[in-house]
Amino acid sequence: MSDKDRIIESLSQVDKAVGSKREQILSDPDDLIDKSAKFLIPAAAGFAVGKIFDILWRKATGKPVKSGKFSNKNSAEKTLLSSMLFAGLSAALGAASNYIFSGLSNKLVNRRHRKNNRRH
């Protein structure tokens, strides 16, 4: 096979890959509104859940999560344990929030698609 044939074959493969990706994009039923909803709903809900948890944590413990100078070793251990507990609970709530609200946003988008398909 000559260099010319290899170049043509390589370009043909690139053309097939681009055509396949183009077809995939064109067949995607999600428009900008759908993609925005799938991103913004879980993000906004996660932010709100995080802020609510932070407020509840402050009320329960009487102080925000912080780091800094400690008066003694016992204080440092309590703060470390408190920070680790806060981080773990916060991560768990964030994951749960993301799971729930991602599912909700997908359901809303699918409902919108079904509603639009009935009109056409």
Side-chain angles (χ1 to χ4, degrees), residues 30-80:
D30 292 349
D31 59 8
L32 182 60
I33 293 170
D34 299 335
K35 291 182 188 300
S36 298
K38 286 182 176 182
F39 170 75
L40 292 175
I41 291 172
F47 179 77
V49 167
K51 285 297 178 187
I52 291 168
F53 179 67
D54 187 45
I55 291 167
L56 293 175
W57 182 266
R58 288 180 194 203
K59 286 189 182 239
T61 62
K63 57 189 172 193
V65 175
K66 64 177 185 172
S67 62
K69 296 182 180 179
F70 305 105
S71 57
N72 59 36
K73 185 178 178 184
N74 193 23
S75 175
E77 289 173 358
K78 284 183 181 178
T79 302
L80 177 62

Side-chain angles (χ1 to χ4, degrees), residues 73-111:
K73 185 178 178 184
N74 193 23
S75 175
E77 289 173 358
K78 284 183 181 178
T79 302
L80 177 62
L81 181 61
S82 175
S83 295
M84 290 173 61
L85 182 61
F86 177 83
L89 291 173
S90 180
L93 280 173
S97 165
N98 187 39
Y99 177 77
I100 291 167
F101 287 99
S102 290
L104 175 67
S105 64
N106 284 332
K107 286 181 183 179
L108 290 173
V109 167
N110 290 339
R111 180 177 175 198

Side-chain angles (χ1 to χ4, degrees), residues 4-17:
K4 179 181 171 183
D5 292 336
R6 279 193 296 268
I7 291 171
I8 291 173
E9 181 63 31
S10 295
L11 290 175
S12 176
Q13 289 176 354
V14 169
D15 185 48
K16 287 177 187 176

